[in-house]
Amino acid sequence: QVQLVESGGGLVQAGGSLRLSCAASGSIFSINNMRWYRQAPGKQREMVAAITSSGGTNYADSVKGRFTISRDNAKNTVYLQMNSLKPEDTAVYYCNVDLDSWGDWSLYWGQGTQVTVSS
């Protein structure tokens, strides 16, 4: 049984910062790519940032220079540091992880955490 638990969302004023965390627990043998997605009301889910097992990163153009993805492999945790937040960053943020549980590689999703940026 694998579980992804997210935390760190909330309400912040424009220009502020938040740090999201997503911790994977359970029968985990290995973790490959880890990603953050977001979904705003009435919009499709979009990838925000991704990090490989070796630390390579990729960002959506809309967040480059403002968001930083990182991971702690010892804790099976991925982070998203969000700075200079804008009202258009308001969305539910989801973590997404490729992991091996008992020899079975699958994609897992977190439950989502709400981020609201007020103007």
Side-chain angles (χ1 to χ4, degrees), residues 15-17 48-49 57-69 80-86 89:
S17 299
V48 174
T57 58
N58 188 35
Y59 296 92
D61 288 342
S62 58
V63 307
K64 279 181 182 177
R66 300 187 298 121
F67 290 11
T68 302
I69 189 171
L80 186 68
Q81 177 67 44
M82 305 185 294
N83 298 328
S84 302
L85 282 161
K86 304 175 181 180
D89 294 318

Side-chain angles (χ1 to χ4, degrees), residues 27-85:
S27 300
I28 299 170
F29 289 359
S30 183
I31 296 179
N32 196 359
N33 298 326
M34 307 179 87
R35 308 170 190 87
W36 286 97
Y37 282 75
R38 68 186 180 187
Q39 187 165 20
K43 294 189 176 181
Q44 286 190 332
R45 192 172 295 190
E46 62 172 353
M47 195 188 77
V48 174
I51 185 167
T52 67
S53 57
S54 58
T57 58
N58 188 35
Y59 296 92
D61 288 342
S62 58
V63 307
K64 279 181 182 177
R66 300 187 298 121
F67 290 11
T68 302
I69 189 171
S70 61
R71 62 192 285 170
D72 184 333
N73 292 329
K75 295 181 179 179
N76 291 336
T77 299
V78 61
Y79 305 96
L80 186 68
Q81 177 67 44
M82 305 185 294
N83 298 328
S84 302
L85 282 161

Side-chain angles (χ1 to χ4, degrees), residues 89-117:
D89 294 318
T90 295
V92 177
Y93 284 71
Y94 299 90
C95 62
N96 169 269
V97 176
D98 297 323
L99 66 82
D100 175 11
S101 178
W102 294 105
D104 179 23
W105 281 94
S106 297
L107 271 174
Y108 291 84
W109 289 89
Q111 81 283 2
T113 185
Q114 177 70 47
V115 171
T116 303
V117 184

